[in-house]
Amino acid sequence: METPHSPSQRDPTFEPDEPRTPIAVRRALHFLHSDEPQVRVHAARDIRRLTKTSSRCRRQLAEAVGPLVSMLRFDSPESHQPALLALLNLAVKDEKNKINIVEAGALEPIIKFLKSEDLNLQESATAALLTLSASSTNKPIISACGAIPLLVEILKQGSSQAKVDAVMALSNLSTYPDNFSIILGTNPTTFIVNILKACKKSSKTAEKCCVLIESLVEYDEGRTALTSEEGGVLAVVEVLESGTLQSKEHAVGTLLTMCNSDRCKYREPILREGVIPGLLELTVQGTPKSQTKARTLLQLLRESPYPRSEVQPDTLENIVCNIISQIDGDDQSSKAKKMLAEMVQVSMEQSLRHLQQRALVCTPTDLPIAGCASEVQSK
């Protein structure tokens, strides 16, 4: 005899030999095909909930993509947000679902939602494009649908979260070569710099901003926009000082590109923002690329009318001393030596730790052996 709390009474769909999640999945898929719009909305919300953290549910609910896209295209406005959020969760960390969502025709309504006066819907559409643009297959398709100018418009006047998602989506799209010329044509530098100025310099947003800015300053209009925006160069210098390692690499790359393009024009604006301490630190603590770029930039910031062979060798001390002499004009040599000594001390400590670690782990089996497999082992 069943008790009042037996599984079959609590849940009529209970099947003791199967786990609960597949039952919930099947129920959501069943209701998604209902003739009642409100039932479909409830099913979309269930799918959003089920796929929020479960990669397994994302796979099991892959067949929901088609009906959810139909809700975006043909159902009433009340259905759009639930369906879009369900699709967004289905696409997260699932390459196949990302591609299937685009192939099912989701981009047309999503692009339309970017222009919506409903800021919540616009925000969700931007987040969806951010997720879908992570797929290399989708990048040219998203661009061909006219998404890039609309994303730049969101940089200009969207909500705070929409702006962050838009800049990250543009960063994703920029890695497809044909897309960058479209991004450049929308003149987005000022808007990206404004986002960089406002965000935390160690954030992922700052990193994505610097990725875009580094590419944009390869062109005159990008360099002009960065230097014309009050605090633009300073924001890049601040990332160089306190950003992530990758952000610092893009920040120093930005300044180096500017200096390489026109040293006379951009040397002073860069020096005015106090870039030297950050560059010195980067020569020791940055990635290998950052270290090289920082040293090169220090040399470009050094001013000398003589050919290199006629002056002292370009040691870091001479470069720093020369730069500081033009900024402070007082006790320059001791300042340069003090700054350099601090950086050398850090470098020596790091090198010593590195040698100690190698001594502990290096064995004859660490040496390269001819004929080793060219693929990494499965993890």
Side-chain angles (χ1 to χ4, degrees):
M1 181 177 178
E2 293 181 343
T3 67
H5 301 289
S6 66
S8 61
Q9 288 195 359
R10 291 200 310 265
D11 183 355
T13 61
F14 177 77
E15 297 176 29
D17 296 330
E18 296 186 32
R20 282 187 172 275
T21 300
I23 300 171
V25 166
R26 290 199 300 275
R27 184 189 298 126
L29 289 171
H30 172 73
F31 289 140
L32 198 59
H33 290 87
S34 171
D35 293 332
E36 294 293 329
Q38 196 57 39
V39 174
R40 293 197 294 271
V41 167
H42 282 301
R45 288 175 178 153
D46 283 344
I47 291 170
R48 178 194 178 191
R49 176 179 53 81
L50 290 166
T51 55
K52 188 171 183 178
T53 58
S54 172
S55 57
R56 180 184 177 207
C57 282
R58 292 182 195 121
R59 292 192 300 270
Q60 292 169 337
L61 284 161
E63 62 185 272
V65 166
L68 287 169
V69 171
S70 293
M71 288 175 68
L72 294 185
R73 294 171 64 89
F74 307 117
D75 282 17
S76 65
E78 292 74 19
S79 302
H80 294 162
Q81 181 87 340
L84 185 56
L85 292 173
L87 286 167
L88 174 59
N89 280 1
L90 279 167
V92 171
K93 297 181 181 180
D94 194 305
E95 177 73 7
K96 189 173 181 181
N97 281 352
K98 286 182 176 73
I99 294 170
N100 288 343
I101 288 168
V102 170
E103 288 181 345
L107 286 181
E108 181 184 342
I110 290 174
I111 297 297
K112 183 177 71 176
F113 298 156
L114 289 180
K115 297 178 279 188
S116 173
E117 293 182 1
D118 181 342
L119 292 183
N120 287 330
L121 187 59
Q122 184 187 86
E123 198 171 286
S124 297
T126 309
L129 280 184
L130 166 58
T131 301
L132 295 173
S133 65
S135 165
S136 57
T137 301
N138 290 342
K139 292 178 184 185
I141 306 171
I142 292 172
S143 173
C145 289
I148 288 175
L150 295 173
L151 288 170
V152 173
E153 189 64 25
I154 286 173
L155 295 184
K156 182 179 178 182
Q157 57 185 19
S159 68
S160 297
Q161 185 59 53
K163 287 179 179 180
V164 168
D165 289 344
V167 81
M168 296 181 81
L170 287 167
S171 178
N172 283 348
L173 292 169
S174 72
T175 61
Y176 185 77
D178 293 345
N179 285 349
F180 188 76
S181 60
I182 303 172
I183 294 172
L184 182 67
T186 62
N187 299 314
T189 309
T190 298
F191 309 128
I192 297 170
V193 170
N194 284 333
I195 294 170
L196 179 62
K197 286 161 60 178
C199 74
K200 188 175 180 180
K201 302 304 182 285
S202 59
S203 66
K204 194 71 174 177
T205 303
E207 181 180 323
K208 296 299 184 179
C209 285
C210 285
V211 168
L212 287 167
I213 292 170
E214 183 180 15
S215 297
L216 289 165
V217 297
E218 292 180 10
Y219 302 86
D220 184 60
E221 51 263 60
R223 295 189 293 271
T224 301
L226 178 61
T227 53
S228 299
E229 181 65 32
E230 185 178 355
V233 175
L234 175 60
V236 176
V237 171
E238 288 174 342
V239 173
L240 187 145
E241 292 174 340
S242 56
T244 64
L245 285 175
Q246 284 303 116
S247 296
K248 290 179 179 183
E249 188 174 304
H250 294 299
V252 70
T254 296
L255 300 176
L256 179 58
T257 298
M258 293 171 66
C259 232
N260 272 329
S261 70
D262 191 334
R263 179 172 171 270
C264 293
K265 182 176 182 179
Y266 295 114
R267 178 180 177 277
E268 285 302 322
I270 292 172
L271 282 174
R272 266 199 310 268
E273 304 302 349
V275 72
I276 300 305
L279 286 177
L280 285 170
E281 182 179 354
L282 214 52
T283 63
V284 176
Q285 295 183 324
T287 65
K289 285 184 180 180
S290 295
Q291 291 181 19
T292 301
K293 290 177 179 179
R295 288 180 176 275
T296 304
L297 182 54
L298 282 167
Q299 290 176 343
L300 286 172
L301 294 175
R302 174 182 182 273
E303 188 171 54
S304 173
Y306 303 106
R308 186 169 296 178
S309 59
E310 297 180 31
V311 296
Q312 289 178 298
D314 276 335
T315 64
L316 198 54
E317 179 182 337
N318 289 335
I319 293 169
V320 175
C321 184
N322 187 282
I323 293 169
I324 291 177
S325 71
Q326 296 168 57
I327 301 172
D328 297 326
D330 181 28
D331 196 21
Q332 305 91 353
S333 180
S334 62
K335 288 182 180 181
K337 288 180 179 179
K338 182 179 178 181
M339 293 171 72
L340 185 63
E342 291 172 353
M343 301 312 299
V344 168
Q345 178 65 28
V346 173
S347 179
M348 290 175 65
E349 290 173 357
Q350 289 182 332
S351 298
L352 181 59
R353 284 196 297 270
H354 180 65
L355 288 171
Q356 289 171 336
Q357 289 168 353
R358 284 186 61 85
L360 288 172
V361 302
C362 188
T363 67
T365 57
D366 293 320
L367 299 175
I369 302 172
C372 285
S374 61
E375 296 181 49
V376 298
Q377 296 179 348
S378 57
K379 298 179 180 180

